[in-house]
Amino acid sequence: MNDLLSALDDDEENNDDYVRPRAPLAVRMRPRSVEELVGQQHLLKPGSPLRQLAGVDGPGPSGPSSIILWGPPGTGKTTIAHVIARAPGRRFVELSAITAGVKDVRRVMDQALEDRDLRGLTTVLFLDEIHRFNKAQQDALLPGVENRWVVLVAATTENPSFSVVSPLLSRSLLLTLRPLEESDVAGLITRALEDPRGFNDELVMDLTALDHLVRMAGGDARRALTALEAAAGVAWSAAEAQPQSPDPTVAAEPTSEAEESKVADAAAETSSEDVSEDDAGDAGAKDQRIRITLEHTERAMDAAVQRYDKAGDQHYDIISAFIKSVRGSDVDAALHYLAKMLEAGEDPRFIARRIMISASEDIGMADPTALQTAVAAAQAVQLIGMPEARIILGHAVVHVATAPKSNAAYKGINEAVADVRAGRGRGVPMHLRDAHYAGAQQLGHGKGYIYSHDAPHSIATQQYAPDDLQGVDYYRPTANGAERLIGERLERIRGIIRAKFRGKK
């Protein structure tokens, strides 16, 4: 009973039918040299740090540099590290920040120093997910990187400016990896279909299926290969489920002497076939390859990958593009970014808050109803929730994106705040001060104040601003939307209020 599991293992090893699972396609197709790398050509120019680390180009008078690879998933960070690992004269050590700690880093540093001094080897340390290391863990890397006991190759999907300590950034080169172009992903898929490490030309893919797979991968090579492997499995299962058609090259049993004669004649003709007909047979065999169709790829991958991290760069980049599209009155782009955030799982309440801010910052009094729509949308989102909240948010986005724009109110408050912080605005005029308490009149508070509703049009000619801010215009309406009329009215209002002040000047 105690040996039950080991007995099962022995049975598997002794069973001729047992087949060990193959490595994933993305692992089997991992490039082995710089020449096989797909994309990132901006980092692979002659003399570049990556080519030096990979041993393709010599380091010249300088030694190899530590690098930080920053890019989204599936752009080749781990692949580049494995290519570097194949360079001669180097010892390659791989750590993951998810499982490694300071002790592991120090152990690598000690061994690297020993290998350098005693064996003349340079240790290349690949540290995946470096953004998961805290400050103390990253600080442990500094002596080895600074003294070049190790050449650090660190990979991260987070912005290193926020996730990597400054001393380590200053001692390393930051290399930014870009999402793969569609042509790169298509070439990668084609290589996987033909390469012996992949499907060894046993499968063929329709162009529509290839286009679908490339589009849905979103520039992620690993996702493209994973989806290709899944689509191949779907196609393979579908082919096995189809009834086998009779082989035209296999004749049925002859039932008469005449038929036997015909079979003999056919065999004689077959034996006298030339080489060109053999080649045609090979082509016919190729035509029998399993075909991956659009239906197969759709079953393998039914939704495009969304590059979005609610705590990372994509969160800020997409909301920035969303707000700027609203500000720029491109309603179609604004709806696209709204959909992208919602599909990626962004909190709809966060989006609603940003719409409310935009309604005041970018629209203001050019369309006073925009803020009302934004506030109503935010309240509706709280009450309804997803997925129906997308309808409310779409309504609000269309309103604010198509509304006339003005940042006059936004600029006005900012200028007023700047003056207050600069110390301008020396006191409150005496006639505006609180006069409700005993003794206030003896201090002169409220003396000479004109009640606005006692004046014509309810606008009195009197001073409201502090002495040093008299005549300062913070709010300057534009000629857009409703502000056109507001500007005309405001000019008349200021003329009445400041008439006495202008007369003194």
Side-chain angles (χ1 to χ4, degrees):
M1 205 55 190
N2 295 334
D3 296 332
L4 177 60
L5 296 180
S6 59
L8 289 174
D9 291 339
D10 292 340
D11 289 343
E12 284 184 347
E13 291 177 1
N14 296 327
N15 187 355
D16 293 336
D17 295 332
Y18 174 70
V19 179
R20 188 177 299 277
R22 299 183 71 187
L25 180 63
V27 174
R28 303 201 307 270
M29 290 303 301
R30 181 165 283 156
R32 296 163 294 188
S33 65
V34 170
E35 289 71 22
E36 290 186 6
L37 289 174
V38 175
Q40 316 307 336
Q41 294 306 308
H42 63 292
L43 300 179
L44 297 172
K45 296 178 180 178
S48 64
L50 282 185
R51 292 179 66 90
Q52 292 180 23
L53 284 173
V56 178
D57 297 339
S62 60
S65 303
S66 292
I67 59 174
I68 297 176
L69 301 174
W70 171 36
T75 52
K77 297 183 294 297
T78 304
T79 293
I80 288 173
H82 281 267
V83 169
I84 292 172
R86 295 175 175 270
R90 299 207 181 101
R91 177 173 172 264
F92 185 80
V93 178
E94 181 175 357
L95 293 179
S96 172
I98 298 175
T99 56
V102 173
K103 289 184 179 180
D104 300 300
V105 172
R106 288 176 177 166
R107 183 166 58 250
V108 171
M109 295 298 174
D110 293 341
Q111 184 62 47
L113 186 59
E114 179 180 322
D115 288 340
R116 187 196 67 174
D117 295 340
L118 299 181
R119 303 175 185 86
L121 294 176
T122 299
T123 298
V124 175
L125 170 60
F126 174 59
L127 182 58
D128 199 13
E129 306 283 348
I130 190 174
H131 58 272
R132 297 182 182 271
F133 262 8
N134 59 34
K135 184 178 183 299
Q137 291 170 317
Q138 292 186 32
D139 286 343
L141 296 165
L142 293 176
V145 172
E146 184 169 15
N147 297 293
R148 202 171 282 164
W149 301 340
V150 298
V151 175
L152 176 66
V153 179
T156 178
T157 56
E158 303 290 337
N159 191 332
S161 299
F162 305 133
S163 58
V164 178
V165 295
S166 297
L168 190 56
L169 278 176
S170 67
R171 291 164 173 80
S172 309
L173 297 178
L174 176 60
L175 304 181
T176 303
L177 278 68
R178 303 168 183 167
L180 300 184
E181 298 292 337
E182 290 190 351
S183 58
D184 295 329
V185 177
L188 194 64
I189 293 173
T190 302
R191 181 195 297 176
L193 289 170
E194 299 172 352
D195 196 286
R197 293 176 294 163
F199 294 112
N200 197 25
D201 212 21
E202 295 177 5
L203 301 168
V204 63
M205 175 175 277
D206 290 345
L207 184 58
T208 54
L210 176 62
D211 290 341
H212 176 77
L213 208 60
V214 168
R215 185 176 67 255
M216 301 296 276
D220 186 327
R222 186 184 297 109
R223 184 177 176 88
L225 292 176
T226 301
L228 172 61
E229 192 168 25
V234 173
W236 208 290
S237 298
E240 289 185 343
Q242 289 180 353
Q244 295 293 326
S245 58
D247 190 340
T249 62
V250 178
E253 286 289 333
T255 58
S256 66
E257 292 183 0
E259 289 179 347
E260 286 180 358
S261 176
K262 290 181 180 179
V263 170
D265 293 341
E269 291 178 3
T270 301
S271 63
S272 62
E273 299 276 332
D274 57 18
V275 177
S276 62
E277 290 174 334
D278 291 337
D279 293 340
D282 293 339
K286 272 198 170 184
D287 291 338
Q288 299 302 316
R289 293 178 298 176
I290 294 177
R291 180 174 297 276
I292 301 175
T293 66
L294 177 61
E295 180 185 356
H296 298 147
T297 57
E298 287 177 339
R299 289 168 62 184
M301 177 186 279
D302 61 357
V305 60
Q306 297 297 326
R307 297 189 184 280
Y308 198 83
D309 183 350
K310 286 189 279 188
D313 290 336
Q314 284 294 306
H315 166 80
Y316 296 104
D317 288 345
I318 293 178
I319 193 63
S320 175
F322 170 70
I323 293 300
K324 289 170 183 173
S325 298
V326 169
R327 181 181 300 140
S329 299
D330 191 333
V331 63
D332 305 297
L335 286 172
H336 165 74
Y337 291 119
L338 171 64
K340 199 171 186 69
M341 288 186 287
L342 292 176
E343 284 297 297
E346 182 60 83
D347 187 347
R349 297 172 299 176
F350 164 75
I351 301 173
R353 290 194 295 269
R354 297 304 307 178
I355 294 173
M356 286 191 289
I357 294 170
S358 179
S360 278
E361 178 181 343
D362 299 314
I363 299 168
M365 292 303 293
D367 180 0
T369 66
L371 181 58
Q372 298 172 12
T373 298
V375 172
Q379 293 172 343
V381 166
Q382 292 270 20
L383 293 172
I384 296 174
M386 289 294 288
E388 288 80 4
R390 78 188 189 283
I391 305 170
I392 311 300
L393 291 172
H395 174 178
V397 166
V398 169
H399 187 155
V400 295
T402 57
K405 303 298 188 294
S406 170
N407 68 343
Y410 168 75
K411 291 173 65 178
I413 183 58
N414 286 348
E415 291 177 13
V417 168
D419 278 350
V420 169
R421 290 176 178 174
R424 299 188 66 187
R426 294 191 297 270
V428 178
M430 295 297 290
H431 63 284
L432 299 181
R433 296 187 183 187
D434 181 20
H436 82 279
Y437 60 92
Q441 292 184 356
Q442 285 78 5
L443 296 174
H445 293 187
K447 185 177 181 179
Y449 169 68
I450 302 172
Y451 186 55
S452 297
H453 294 290
D454 293 338
H457 310 294
S458 297
I459 302 173
T461 300
Q462 65 181 338
Q463 176 182 345
Y464 290 97
D467 292 340
D468 57 336
L469 293 179
Q470 274 287 3
V472 174
D473 296 342
Y474 289 124
Y475 177 55
R476 295 179 290 275
T478 68
N480 302 332
E483 276 196 330
R484 181 190 300 275
L485 297 177
I486 293 174
E488 296 172 357
R489 182 168 181 271
L490 182 59
E491 185 177 358
R492 295 194 298 270
I493 292 173
R494 283 173 174 163
I496 296 172
I497 293 174
R498 299 173 182 176
K500 186 176 180 180
F501 173 75
R502 287 202 300 268
K504 285 185 177 181
K505 292 188 73 173

